């Protein structure tokens, strides 16, 4: 890393994510690697999955696990790839803690519940999956639909953004190419509210307090909707 803070990569970056305290920056690249940069020392702390596999596919999404409670393990990173591989990494040691594949899927987005009890994944197959953190198993799947008439209850095209509410761990929102934002309730397993318009291909959702804000489009238009709690 250069003195001015620039980090020159030999591969193409696909996603970036700061730790909540701003100490580390994770950068996923097109070879399934994650570069972890230390902001205070301006150095590369770790490169995860640095195997140099010929068939490596891009890392499309990364997310830091919330550090809740005095005994919480620090700097656990969740990674999702174009091949549908979902991995938990212990960044200080560089070890992969857990890995599972979602066959036929590409994982475009990830989000943790505010209390860390669960994480959400979504992507190419238009399903939004809720996984329990303790067991890593799927507990709820909001299945994608195949007909446009199902937009009121599911996504019908690829999903590129999923975000848990910042204080309610049972609510999350998602959006993608079908131009519909869904607000999901994990307790009921259903979409409890929708609004149309945003064409999403990034991380523009911000469910906070009683409002859901979405940024989208070439001119970064914004929409807000009251959320149920």
């Amino acid at each position: 890393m250069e003195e001015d803070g620039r980090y020159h990569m030999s591969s193409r970056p696909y996603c970036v994510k700061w730790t909540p305290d701003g100490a580390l920056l994770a950068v996923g690249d097109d070879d399934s690697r994650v570069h972890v940069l230390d902001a205070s020392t301006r150095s590369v702390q770790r490169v995860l999955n640095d195997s140099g596999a010929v068939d490596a596919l891009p890392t499309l999404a990364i997310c830091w696990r919330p550090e809740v409670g005095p005994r919480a393990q620090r700097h656990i990173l969740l990674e999702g790839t174009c091949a549908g591989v979902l991995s938990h990494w212990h960044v200080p040691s560089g070890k992969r803690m857990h890995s599972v594949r979602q066959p036929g899927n590409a994982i475009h987005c990830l989000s943790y519940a505010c209390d860390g009890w669960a994480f959400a994944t979504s992507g190419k197959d238009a399903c939004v999956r809720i996984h329990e953190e303790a067991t890593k198993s799927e507990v709820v799947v909001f299945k994608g639909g195949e007909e446009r008439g199902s937009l009121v209850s599911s996504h019908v095209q690829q999903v590129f953004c999923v975000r848990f509410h910042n204080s309610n761990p049972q609510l999350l929102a998602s959006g993608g190419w079908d131009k519909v934002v869904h607000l999901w309730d994990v307790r009921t397993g259903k979409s409890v509210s929708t609004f149309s318009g945003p064409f999403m291909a990034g991380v523009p959702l911000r469910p906070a307090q009683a409002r859901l804000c979405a940024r989208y489009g070439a001119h970064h238009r914004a929409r807000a909707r009251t959320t149920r709690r």
Side-chain angles (χ1 to χ4, degrees):
M1 184 178 287
E2 303 289 345
E3 291 184 1
D4 60 3
R6 291 182 296 175
Y7 175 53
H8 297 281
M9 299 176 61
S10 60
S11 53
R12 179 180 300 177
Y14 268 72
C15 50
V16 297
K17 194 73 172 181
W18 285 99
T19 52
D21 60 5
L24 300 177
L25 176 67
V27 184
D29 72 11
D30 59 4
D31 285 326
S32 294
R33 294 175 299 185
V34 179
H35 308 247
V36 181
L37 314 179
D38 190 314
S40 62
T41 62
R42 295 187 176 183
S43 62
V44 181
Q45 185 185 93
R46 185 79 61 183
V47 178
L48 306 173
N49 201 28
D50 193 17
S51 61
V54 176
D55 58 349
L57 293 171
T59 292
L60 301 179
I62 47 181
C63 185
W64 294 96
R65 188 172 75 182
E67 297 171 6
V68 181
R71 296 185 179 180
Q73 199 169 17
R74 298 196 67 205
H75 297 159
I76 304 301
L77 186 72
L78 183 61
E79 175 198 17
T81 75
C82 188
V85 177
L86 185 66
S87 300
H88 281 78
W89 293 93
H90 181 245
V91 171
S93 67
K95 293 182 179 179
R96 194 195 306 260
M97 303 167 63
H98 179 266
S99 182
V100 66
R101 183 184 294 270
Q102 297 177 2
N105 195 24
I107 301 172
H108 295 156
C109 46
L110 304 166
S111 181
Y112 263 103
C114 58
D115 60 2
W117 85 271
F119 58 91
T121 70
S122 195
K124 180 181 176 181
D125 66 1
C127 296
V128 177
R129 295 175 171 86
I130 309 300
H131 308 252
E132 185 181 38
E133 172 62 21
T135 63
K136 308 299 189 290
S137 60
E138 293 180 3
V139 292
V140 178
V141 180
F142 303 106
K143 293 185 176 180
E146 297 181 355
E147 299 178 2
R148 192 155 187 84
S150 66
L151 276 171
V152 295
S153 59
S154 65
H155 286 293
V156 298
Q157 293 188 38
Q158 298 187 63
V159 177
F160 281 87
C161 180
V162 63
R163 278 290 283 276
F164 269 98
H165 194 278
N166 69 342
S167 60
N168 188 332
Q170 301 297 326
L171 292 179
L172 68 157
S174 61
W177 283 2
D178 57 17
K179 299 183 180 181
V180 173
V181 174
H182 284 273
L183 179 66
W184 309 97
D185 191 323
V186 177
R187 296 161 294 192
T188 64
K190 295 180 180 179
S191 174
V192 295
S193 183
T194 63
F195 68 86
S196 60
F199 179 92
M200 296 185 179
V203 192
L205 283 171
R206 191 177 183 86
Q209 302 304 324
R211 304 286 289 179
L212 171 61
C213 297
R215 291 168 61 90
Y216 62 98
H219 300 290
H220 301 290
R221 293 168 288 176
R223 290 195 60 174
R225 176 83 175 249
T226 301
T227 63
R228 296 182 185 180
R229 301 189 63 182

